[in-house]
């Protein structure tokens, strides 16, 4: 199954008009249209692989352009060429001696690499099973050996039992309290979530302190003292501002403040962590942390207490393995970012690997869940009693229905044709 | 002159086939084709502005695509709209609530912002003169107020005399010792440079230690003990590897080691700085440092001893002002990255501003110079006795000859048509 050559790579600009109802709104992204650069690769013997990278609307065409540029490094290779030296292929894709200049390993070009690598992982997972030791050989250890060597990574790999299949992996919900929702909407969604068994809730904050005090107070009252509340500022503040603002929300006992400042500011996050520790509030970040070298430093500097990996921001499973293994070495729990479109589908695989093969613990661990757009995926996430149930179909759960892709193509799919006509453009 | 609306924005993919002669080759970029996304903006009353961002070949089309996406934020605005609240416009361009997801402020989208902002600065400079205080209002201080406030920035602004016009700004040369050059080529270029008055020389290292020892020894012998030697590894090593490798080159007394490891690794650079300080070797970095928040941390962590700003990597003059002012506050000299195509033309303006309005010192300060591709610019850099002479034409020196742009368009300009035909593609 690994002998066929990758003969085709097609990439689509797929956008969902989520901004029309303020789903996903936060302090920095007022009106996101959840979108994806969606990649389909196909070998000359008919094997397919599906990969996405998540975006929020405008600019997706730039990622599509980058995927097309990188496709020359993929076409013509067999799956065996790639996976037999996967860290070598990873480096080839992320370090092309001309294209690395416009990264390196960050921004558009890293998102494009993620989409392609996600498709390759999907293809590989469809073709055959893998054992954890094989996974380690997919990591490019360059620049991180001072924090984690290949040998140490192997020794972190411990295997535990299959309770996951019964209980599932704990999830928290972000669906109740987007910034653009009214108090009434928030109350209603929260009340429904409680009856469905949710116990961990995230609230978007950061635009206006009085609003946030009112919203956090409302939610804390509804969920009671035992359940968990997390708050998320989506990079809104400067460092001192973050400390002062969050201190004023401490009475609502948030477990963490997420993205308090610029995602690049390791030392800033370290200062915030130090200031908030006496209040019992941790710092969480990672959804816009662009590579393993940044995560390494966040860990080295004790700048976060929750590592939020993302399945589409960094270089796919390869780089997320490195990040999860470093988190384990530094004894910091991994609580992935998800939501958007497809992020829940993909990241559930990573979090199960983290539990089964790396951390073996659920303490302080949970995975984000947002209840949107799953209907477009052939193997959608299954949530039972606020837990992710392990996916059972072969692959990376990243395949979308053809019809969904067609309808939501930007700008010529029927959904966008109709919206753009209405707007007179 | 500021009332006209920006009515047109054109962007070209311009590439020079420098890889044919190994110009620009280093330990990570074996065969760069020096290139640019070249932006021309024009108001409806005929004022023009020219901006570039530098790239090294493949992938330039992605930056072009990003410039096109950002152009919607520029078209229809007057120059007055923009410059009357330039930090507001900067934030609008770099923080579009959908497009920021694919950065933010890094990689392709930041390079595209740089090209557009460089064009606006060029247009503004052609339209009128500016005083330094006005410049401060172009900086977005978000995320850096813990290191530098607007008030502090203003007080850093001191004005000194016009000696620059007589002596010029000291330069060093990188043209003698690209990694792909033979020893003979290197000896000959170095000998010519000495007769031309050059006293500071940079050597590319990092691919092979024995080669580097031979090359550094050769150059140190030729230039004598008084002249300066700098070495540049272009991100080749892990942290421990960098320390051990550079220690073995210490006998040649390099002033700095440039880009010893991943450009994102602030803490790694701090560790290297600490280890090399007793050997009298500083650490220099910045040409791939993607924004002011990263520079802030490099300064806070004492991770570099030479700040290498780049005129095209970050958000143009606006962001470089913030970086130069922070460097001044932390008492670290600015020694810009240049070379490529157009970088010398642009950065000479910044370094003069740094000297005249900020640092007022030449101690440990110099600007990189590479002797290539200047013939394509209407106001090329003037070097006299190894010094940059202050540019006298209005604007940012970023305008290229139409003929150069036409010929080097990728892939349809005549230079590339002929190369691609020869290669049978």
């Amino acid at each position: 199954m690994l002998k066929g050559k990758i003969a085709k790579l097609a990439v689509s600009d797929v956008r969902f008009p989520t901004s029309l109802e303020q789903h996903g709104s936060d302090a920095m992204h007022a009106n996101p249209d959840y979108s994806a650069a969606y990649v389909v690769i196909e070998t000359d013997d008919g094997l397919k692989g599906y990969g996405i990278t998540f975006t929020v609307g405008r600019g997706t065409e730039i990622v599509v352009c980058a995927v097309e540029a990188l496709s020359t490094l993929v076409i013509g290779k067999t799956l065996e060429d790639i996976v037999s030296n996967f860290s070598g292929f990873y480096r080839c894709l992320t370090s092309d001696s001309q294209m690395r200049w416009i990264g390196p390993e960050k921004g558009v070009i890293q998102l494009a690499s993620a989409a392609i690598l996600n498709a390759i992982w999907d293809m590989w997972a469809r073709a055959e099973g893998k054992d954890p030791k094989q996974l380690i050989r997919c990591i490019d250890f360059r620049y991180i050996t001072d924090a984690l060597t290949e040998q140490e990574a192997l020794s972190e790999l411990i295997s535990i039992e299959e309770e996951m299949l019964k209980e599932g992996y704990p999830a928290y919900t972000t669906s109740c309290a987007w910034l653009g929702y009214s108090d009434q909407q928030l109350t209603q969604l929260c009340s429904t979530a409680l009856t469905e068994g949710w116990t961990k809730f995230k609230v978007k904050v950061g635009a206006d302190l009085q609003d946030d005090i009112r919203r956090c107070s409302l939610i804390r009252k509804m969920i009671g003292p035992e359940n968990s509340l997390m708050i998320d500022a989506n990079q809104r503040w400067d460092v001192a501002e973050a400390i002062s603002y969050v201190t004023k929300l401490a009475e609502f006992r948030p477990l963490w403040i997420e993205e308090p400042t610029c995602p690049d500011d390791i030392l800033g996050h370290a200062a915030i962590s130090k200031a908030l520790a006496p209040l019992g509030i941790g710092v969480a970040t990672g959804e816009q942390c662009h590579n393993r070298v940044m995560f390494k430093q966040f860990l080295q500097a004790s700048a976060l207490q929750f590592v939020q990996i993302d399945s589409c921001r960094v270089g796919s499973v390869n780089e997320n393995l490195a990040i999860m293994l470093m988190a384990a070495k530094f004894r910091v729990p991994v609580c992935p970012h998800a939501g958007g479109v497809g992020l829940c589908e993909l990241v559930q695989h990573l979090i199960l690997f983290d539990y089964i093969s790396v951390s073996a613990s659920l303490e302080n661990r949970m995975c984000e869940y947002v209840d949107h757009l799953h209907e477009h995926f052939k193997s959608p996430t299954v949530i039972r009693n606020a837990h992710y149930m392990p996916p059972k179909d072969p692959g990376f759960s990243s395949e979308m229905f053809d019809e969904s892709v067609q309808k939501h193509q930007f700008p010529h799919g029927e959904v966008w044709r109709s919206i753009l006509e209405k707007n007179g453009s």
Side-chain angles (χ1 to χ4, degrees), chain A residues 307-324:
Chain A
V307 169
Q308 299 184 303
I309 58 168
D310 181 289
S311 55
C312 293
R313 171 73 56 182
V314 300
S316 186
V317 182
N318 311 64
E319 193 158 26
N320 270 314
L321 289 176
I323 296 162
M324 289 188 286

Side-chain angles (χ1 to χ4, degrees), chain A residues 143-265:
Chain A
Y143 299 141
I144 59 171
T145 54
D146 52 331
L148 181 74
T149 65
E150 186 162 353
Q151 206 45 47
E152 287 175 310
L154 281 166
S155 71
E156 293 277 354
L157 279 180
I158 48 165
S159 274
I160 59 155
E161 295 307 310
E162 293 203 346
E163 70 182 88
M164 277 295 111
L165 287 168
K166 282 185 238 142
E167 302 288 337
Y169 196 92
Y172 72 86
T173 178
T174 307
S175 288
C176 300
W178 295 109
L179 203 61
Y181 285 181
S182 68
D183 286 5
Q184 192 197 347
Q185 213 171 349
L186 192 150
T187 310
Q188 192 207 308
L189 288 166
C190 196
S191 146
T192 308
L194 283 164
T195 64
E196 288 168 355
W198 292 94
T199 60
K200 304 165 205 296
F201 299 81
K202 195 160 81 185
V203 182
K204 297 286 179 179
V205 299
D208 179 275
L209 180 61
Q210 292 314 315
D211 270 3
D212 291 344
I213 290 176
R214 197 188 69 250
R215 290 152 49 84
C216 286
S217 162
L218 188 66
I219 295 213
R220 177 51 86 193
K221 262 182 220 146
M222 288 195 68
I223 68 176
E226 297 305 314
N227 286 326
S228 300
L229 175 72
M230 288 81 68
I231 56 176
D232 183 357
N234 291 86
Q235 315 168 19
R236 183 60 180 247
W237 305 307
D238 271 34
V239 174
E241 207 178 352
I243 295 168
S244 125
Y245 201 112
V246 176
T247 301
K248 289 176 189 133
L249 297 176
E251 62 175 304
F252 308 110
R253 296 191 302 105
L255 176 64
W256 75 51
I257 171 65
E258 183 171 332
E259 292 203 306
T261 188
C262 175
D264 296 341
D265 195 351

Side-chain angles (χ1 to χ4, degrees), chain A residues 139-148 292-293 296 322 326:
Chain A
I139 300 174
D140 184 352
F141 282 87
R142 176 186 271 179
Y143 299 141
I144 59 171
T145 54
D146 52 331
L148 181 74
R292 67 199 179 285
V293 181
K296 177 185 77 167
M326 285 194 289

